[in-house]
Amino acid sequence: MRVAFCADIVGRPGRYMLKQHIAHIKREYKVDVVIVNYENASHGFGLSAKNAKELFKLPIDLMTGGNHTWDKKDIIPLLDEMPLLRPLNYPQATPGRGLEVLEVGDEKLAVINLMGHFTMPMVDNPFVMVLKEVERLEAEGIKHIFIDFHAEATSEKRALLALLKGRVSAICGSHTHVGTDDLTIDAGTCYVTDVGMTGCRDNSLGMAVKEVLERFLTGVSSRFDVPNHCKKMLQAVVFDLDEDGKCHKAFKVKAYDDEIVKVVQEAYLEQ
Ligand SMILES: [Fe+2]
């Protein structure tokens, strides 16, 4: 089974890059499952119902969320109707779900969307909750488990790898928007601290730099905006899982504007 994961898609430029490249990535790299994080997809904050429908016309199997899942209110009823996740560790009464099991040929792939604690809204303990879910999935015989860990702190992400390596297929980080260079396969688990965003590569984290600089220069906040025109980038991690759910090969691809997608990094295989 080959899976591709694109982390934070930021605004219209991010959606443009998916439209330009995701079908090609799926075809060129013979990807079975495409997972994308939607939480910044509509003008940088959340996902609108209109954009959700538009994105699902592309070859995307499931989308994960984060702290901005709730920013566009018309998406909330669709969380139960579409393959859209919100972080697992919101309280039980919160709309939506944080785990979905996809059928991939004869195999099953469990996708978990998890959120960290540091600088994030108040949610349940991600480590305790995910461990319980992984134990439940193991008891059900599900061997292919992917986690999008949407978290600010690198320490939380590395700690999750330490907790679950050898037990889950992949842990890919999202939320910080800057890709890290630690793509590794450790004990059969594909891991990267952050995949990095898809959207404007100039400016700041996909948002217009003007308001960001104002905030840093004056200490006064104004609403962030996604630029209409910018230099763009797409980033994705692609990983292969054997029938036991173990990862044996992973690589990162990038595309700049309309240029062809290229492999930029192979995962280091930890011995
Ligand atoms: Fe986020």
Side-chain angles (χ1 to χ4, degrees), residues 3-229:
V3 182
F5 174 61
C6 254
D8 309 69
I9 307 302
V10 186
R12 188 190 296 267
R15 301 197 310 274
Y16 171 87
M17 289 303 278
L18 281 181
K19 280 175 213 153
Q20 284 299 101
H21 298 290
I22 204 69
H24 171 80
I25 290 173
K26 186 170 162 95
R27 208 171 44 240
E28 178 72 17
Y29 297 103
K30 298 183 171 55
V31 171
D32 299 303
V33 183
V34 175
I35 303 167
V36 163
N37 186 301
Y38 66 78
E39 79 134 16
N40 305 118
S42 296
H43 215 72
F45 300 95
L47 174 69
S48 66
K50 179 174 167 266
N51 290 159
K53 287 168 192 160
E54 170 198 311
L55 286 176
F56 277 125
K57 287 185 183 146
L58 301 174
I60 294 170
D61 297 283
L62 182 139
M63 292 199 275
T64 51
N67 49 305
H68 290 298
T69 287
W70 321 104
D71 291 4
K72 302 280 186 284
K73 301 301 175 208
D74 63 352
I75 201 65
I76 295 175
L78 296 184
L79 292 176
D80 291 325
E81 293 168 23
M82 289 181 145
L84 292 168
L85 300 184
R86 50 89 167 148
L88 178 81
N89 46 329
Y90 273 99
Q92 226 176 7
T94 309
R97 65 204 184 284
L99 186 156
E100 175 126 329
V101 179
L102 300 173
E103 307 277 342
V104 187
D106 296 338
E107 289 165 327
K108 286 179 160 59
L109 171 70
V111 179
I112 299 175
N113 189 187
L114 196 67
M115 191 160 76
H117 261 183
F118 183 68
T119 73
M120 288 299 207
M122 196 171 67
V123 284
D124 293 335
N125 185 318
F127 299 92
V128 174
M129 264 194 100
V130 78
L131 197 54
K132 214 164 80 182
E133 284 302 325
V134 168
E135 280 165 5
R136 196 179 58 76
L137 291 166
E138 285 169 344
E140 281 180 30
I142 293 176
K143 294 175 176 153
H144 300 76
I145 304 173
F146 166 71
I147 301 171
D148 167 7
F149 193 21
H150 196 76
E152 178 75 31
T154 48
S155 60
E156 284 185 69
K157 293 175 177 175
R158 299 289 312 181
L160 196 72
L161 171 67
L163 182 72
L164 293 177
K165 71 178 180 183
R167 290 181 73 174
V168 301
S169 309
I171 301 170
C172 291
S174 60
H175 180 67
T176 68
H177 291 207
V178 177
T180 56
D181 74 348
D182 56 346
L183 182 63
T184 308
I185 299 166
D186 193 350
T189 299
C190 167
Y191 173 83
V192 65
T193 298
D194 209 297
V195 175
M197 53 127 219
T198 288
C200 294
R201 69 176 192 270
D202 48 10
N203 289 270
S204 175
L205 307 183
M207 307 303 276
V209 78
K210 182 176 169 283
E211 291 81 10
V212 176
L213 270 180
E214 260 169 33
R215 182 181 292 190
F216 286 135
L217 287 169
T218 67
V220 179
S221 298
S222 58
R223 192 179 162 78
F224 288 172
D225 214 359
V226 175
N228 287 325
H229 303 286

